[in-house]
Amino acid sequence: MRAAFARLYADGFKSAVIWALKGNPARYFYETEGGRIVAERPGAVAGKPVREIAFGWADITPAAGARARESAGRTAPWRGTGRCATLRRASWTSRSS
């Protein structure tokens, strides 16, 4: 994950959201890496309904291992500001708010 966040940081992203299945034990990994649950939504896997949860990092600088930058006044991208990278089912997508 550090390598993925480092790449995102190098590409100009300052925050990220990772979507995972709600019952996925990987959620504990995301939480220990600093991710906070920021959203939940219905989804489908193989045509069956599932619940997905989003883990958010308002500032990926520490997770990317990059030099910290001044971040005063910034708000999380899932709240409608900034540029955010989203990972869902192994594909990165970019979203500007």
Side-chain angles (χ1 to χ4, degrees):
M1 193 162 91
R2 179 176 288 254
F5 278 5
R7 174 64 189 268
L8 289 170
Y9 187 85
D11 287 345
F13 292 95
K14 305 299 181 240
S15 56
V17 173
I18 295 177
W19 285 94
L21 296 178
K22 187 172 185 177
N24 186 343
R27 70 174 289 168
Y28 303 110
F29 171 75
Y30 299 138
E31 290 170 345
T32 59
E33 291 296 316
R36 291 188 345 253
I37 297 174
V38 296
E40 187 173 328
R41 68 182 180 194
V45 173
K48 296 186 179 186
V50 295
R51 294 298 299 171
E52 297 176 324
I53 53 176
F55 293 90
W57 288 259
D59 181 5
I60 65 170
T61 305
R67 270 192 334 216
R69 291 188 178 178
E70 186 74 30
S71 62
R74 286 204 327 237
T75 58
W78 51 85
R79 300 233 168 109
T81 62
R83 189 168 178 221
C84 178
T86 302
L87 175 64
R88 182 170 188 242
R89 296 194 183 113
S91 64
W92 287 103
T93 58
S94 172
R95 200 172 68 184
S96 294
S97 303

